[in-house]
Amino acid sequence: MRVAAMGDLHVREDNESSYRDLFGEISREADVLVLAGDLTDLGKPKEAELLAQDLKACSIPVIGVLGNHDYECGAHEEVAHILRDAGMRVLDGQSCEIDGVGFVGVKGFAGGFGRRMLGSFGEPAIKQFVGEAMNETLRLENAMRQVKAKRSVVILHYAPVTDTIESEPLEIYPFLGSSRLAETIDRFQVSAIVHGHAHRGRYEGRTPGGQPVYNVARHIEKPGGKPYGILEI
Ligand SMILES: [Fe+2]
Ligand SMILES: [Fe+2]
């Protein structure tokens, strides 16, 4: 299966960048399109409607997750609803299967990496922050347990490793993702993990367990010179 993956579309109300032509091209290039969050710029329903219009040009299944930008206006449920109406499978702690390949999707959360990860200590606000990261990983684990297929793709918005966020400022690493995501994924065997959120970084990386991770944010340079990556699953 050829999976096209792209994140961080950031569709705006002025709709300066239509994805119609790109979605048409992707439909000829791939069997499935995966979208890794930040589909809208401010999480406005109007932005989701513009993306929904463009998705009509897509003739292959579209699966994805929301990103932090899709939450900005507090209308993420409406955003997801509009995209689901347009035929996209918006995953939020669930899985689905297409032609023998399992897809697991969760937004994920921030918190940092490895030994420097933020711990649940001190003020209630810090504990709540860490709790949100742990909650997302528990939802990821539950979704991964549902997958029966031998081949699978994990779709995240936040980064599970630092490999693919290299060249972002070190100061913001803790806000770009969490190792807790990779620790959970490494308890299972997957074909690929895709994420977005870090607009600067590197296309390819690996989890500590050696599983391939791809930063598919639209802004990241990819092997084909396209804004989307193509994965052979
Ligand atoms: Fe983004
Ligand atoms: Fe983001």
Side-chain angles (χ1 to χ4, degrees), residues 14-192:
D14 62 21
N15 203 22
E16 266 183 5
S17 52
S18 165
Y19 287 96
R20 182 168 288 268
D21 293 346
L22 192 65
F23 288 156
E25 176 188 317
I26 288 170
S27 300
R28 294 186 293 275
E29 293 284 322
D31 304 305
V32 173
L33 170 60
V34 161
L35 297 177
D38 282 0
L39 310 178
T40 63
D41 198 42
L42 295 170
K44 294 181 178 177
K46 179 77 175 43
E47 295 171 332
E49 278 163 15
L50 289 168
L51 177 57
Q53 283 295 320
D54 285 352
L55 281 172
K56 285 183 184 163
C58 213
S59 56
I60 56 176
V62 183
I63 310 170
V65 298
L66 299 185
N68 57 318
H69 277 247
D70 303 309
Y71 278 69
E72 170 57 16
C73 283
H76 60 277
E77 282 176 6
E78 199 179 340
V79 165
H81 183 79
I82 291 164
L83 296 174
R84 284 190 182 114
D85 269 357
M88 176 176 168
R89 287 180 223 202
V90 181
L91 299 178
D92 181 18
Q94 300 95 16
S95 66
C96 68
E97 190 175 317
I98 294 178
D99 293 338
V101 177
F103 293 85
V104 176
V106 70
K107 173 176 62 63
F109 198 62
F113 299 92
R115 291 274 298 121
R116 307 295 164 88
M117 204 158 51
L118 184 63
S120 185
F121 181 90
E123 301 93 321
I126 294 286
K127 289 176 178 164
Q128 197 184 345
F129 186 95
V130 175
E132 179 69 16
M134 292 175 72
N135 192 37
E136 284 291 281
T137 62
L138 290 173
R139 295 169 68 241
L140 171 62
E141 182 182 305
N142 281 339
M144 294 191 76
R145 285 189 199 282
Q146 306 296 319
V147 176
K148 300 282 177 279
K150 285 213 168 64
R151 293 171 291 156
S152 61
V153 178
V154 177
I155 312 165
L156 306 168
H157 180 59
Y158 285 86
V161 295
T162 55
D163 284 11
T164 48
I165 63 173
E166 269 175 19
S167 80
E168 285 279 11
L170 266 178
E171 291 86 344
I172 68 166
Y173 270 35
F175 312 123
L176 295 177
S178 165
S179 291
R180 296 181 199 276
L181 296 164
E183 286 168 9
T184 298
I185 294 164
D186 273 344
R187 270 182 261 134
F188 301 84
Q189 199 173 359
V190 301
S191 310

Side-chain angles (χ1 to χ4, degrees), residues 8 10 38 197 199:
D8 302 85
H10 289 270
D38 282 0
H197 190 50
H199 295 192

